[in-house]
Amino acid sequence: MRMQRSPFIMNNFFKKIVQQIVVVTMLTVSSSTQAGIVAEGTRFIFPSANESLTITLTNTSDEVNLISSKVKTELLWEGAESTSYKPPFVVTPPLFLIKSKATGIIRLIKTENTLPDDRETLFSLAISGIPSGKQDGNSVKIATRSTFKLIWRPQMLSELHPEKAYQQLKWTINQNGRVVIDNPTPFYISLAVVSVNGEGIANAGMVAPKTTRQTNWCRSQKMCHLNWRTIDDYGGMSPQVTTILR
């Protein structure tokens, strides 16, 4: 007779593993590759017409990793606008093990569709990899959390060519010397490589749909010479655009 494992035993099993996190140093990053856990992309688009989205993870390390995944409304990127809406999907499984050199998947399942239908909504997808195994001497095992952009795209936007949205950005400089970026489109636009008067801007961030964003990139300067590029749905970059503001 084959015995089934009790859900209580399985819950205790995962609880014991998660409790081990207290002896692990947790680092927070925005990347697709950390501590041997590789995701198949750097950003993920969830079309509202779909019922689910599958993401493949690969463990390239020599240890089993416990994977923990969660969708959050807190956003890490400059210019992003947090939403008051509850994420319209759940992650399954929220906890699972990936063996060394193996792959696993997480699936985002749609639970409702109550978000605005005239613009995209941004969430963050946090994926943590917690290595197993015994510590050697004074070594510290490091768990990493990678945070990815997760964009909800309403069905009515699917024919509007999001890859061309960057062409509609409008750049001006106001009387206080602040650069104002106007995004009239319904899409989130991610700024990739931005330089101002020859100086690179680290973490240039995003411009939210149908909003304007102000930056202090050109304050106290008479002329602002900008070179910039954006990132598309697949992680590719747009052609470089040069904008001169006076």
Side-chain angles (χ1 to χ4, degrees):
M1 180 177 178
R2 187 175 181 180
M3 297 183 64
Q4 295 183 344
R5 293 188 178 182
S6 165
F8 175 78
I9 295 176
M10 290 300 292
N11 287 339
N12 282 345
F13 170 74
F14 281 119
K15 286 180 180 178
K16 288 179 181 179
I17 295 178
V18 173
Q19 287 170 355
Q20 295 176 7
I21 300 175
V22 298
V23 297
V24 178
T25 301
M26 179 67 76
L27 301 179
T28 302
V29 294
S30 291
S31 174
S32 61
T33 307
Q34 291 293 331
I37 300 301
V38 180
E40 63 181 340
T42 59
R43 67 205 61 240
F44 302 100
I45 309 297
F46 196 117
S48 65
N50 290 13
E51 295 300 320
S52 65
L53 175 68
T54 299
I55 299 171
T56 301
L57 305 176
T58 303
N59 180 7
T60 61
S61 75
D62 296 324
E63 293 185 290
V64 174
N65 269 249
L66 175 68
I67 305 301
S68 171
S69 306
K70 187 176 182 179
V71 177
K72 299 182 176 183
T73 56
E74 296 85 0
L75 304 176
L76 304 176
W77 306 280
E78 290 289 334
E81 290 195 344
S82 295
T83 179
S84 59
Y85 290 92
K86 178 182 177 182
F89 22 61
V90 295
V91 183
T92 181
L95 285 173
F96 71 103
L97 297 171
I98 300 184
K99 294 181 180 180
S100 171
K101 314 303 180 183
T103 60
I105 63 170
I106 58 174
R107 184 172 286 110
L108 303 181
I109 307 295
K110 182 169 68 177
T111 56
E112 55 187 345
N113 188 354
T114 58
L115 297 179
D117 61 5
D118 66 336
R119 69 192 67 195
E120 293 181 331
T121 304
L122 177 66
F123 300 93
S124 58
L125 173 63
I127 301 177
S128 301
I130 306 164
S132 64
K134 194 173 182 179
Q135 289 179 249
D136 299 323
N138 295 322
S139 65
V140 177
K141 290 190 176 297
I142 298 178
T144 60
R145 178 183 297 137
S146 297
T147 303
F148 302 87
K149 296 181 179 75
L150 175 60
I151 297 175
W152 173 271
R153 179 169 293 164
Q155 183 177 8
M156 65 180 297
L157 306 184
S158 60
E159 303 298 327
L160 297 183
H161 302 290
E163 73 280 0
K164 297 181 180 180
Y166 76 94
Q167 298 173 357
Q168 298 185 52
L169 285 182
K170 299 176 182 177
W171 301 69
T172 57
I173 189 166
N174 65 19
Q175 60 184 4
N176 297 318
R178 296 176 66 85
V179 174
V180 180
I181 313 169
D182 177 44
N183 177 12
T185 80
F187 301 104
Y188 261 97
I189 299 179
S190 296
L191 299 172
V193 181
V194 178
S195 66
V196 179
N197 295 332
E199 182 176 348
I201 301 295
N203 303 317
M206 313 179 76
V207 189
K210 301 185 178 183
T211 64
T212 58
R213 176 187 169 194
Q214 294 190 24
T215 77
N216 60 358
W217 295 342
C218 280
R219 299 189 74 173
S220 302
Q221 299 188 48
K222 293 182 179 180
M223 186 182 74
C224 191
H225 187 121
L226 298 108
N227 290 317
W228 54 277
R229 304 176 75 178
T230 62
I231 304 176
D232 63 23
D233 289 353
Y234 308 100
M237 290 194 185
S238 70
Q240 178 175 289
V241 180
T242 297
T243 303
I244 299 176
L245 304 177
R246 291 184 174 88

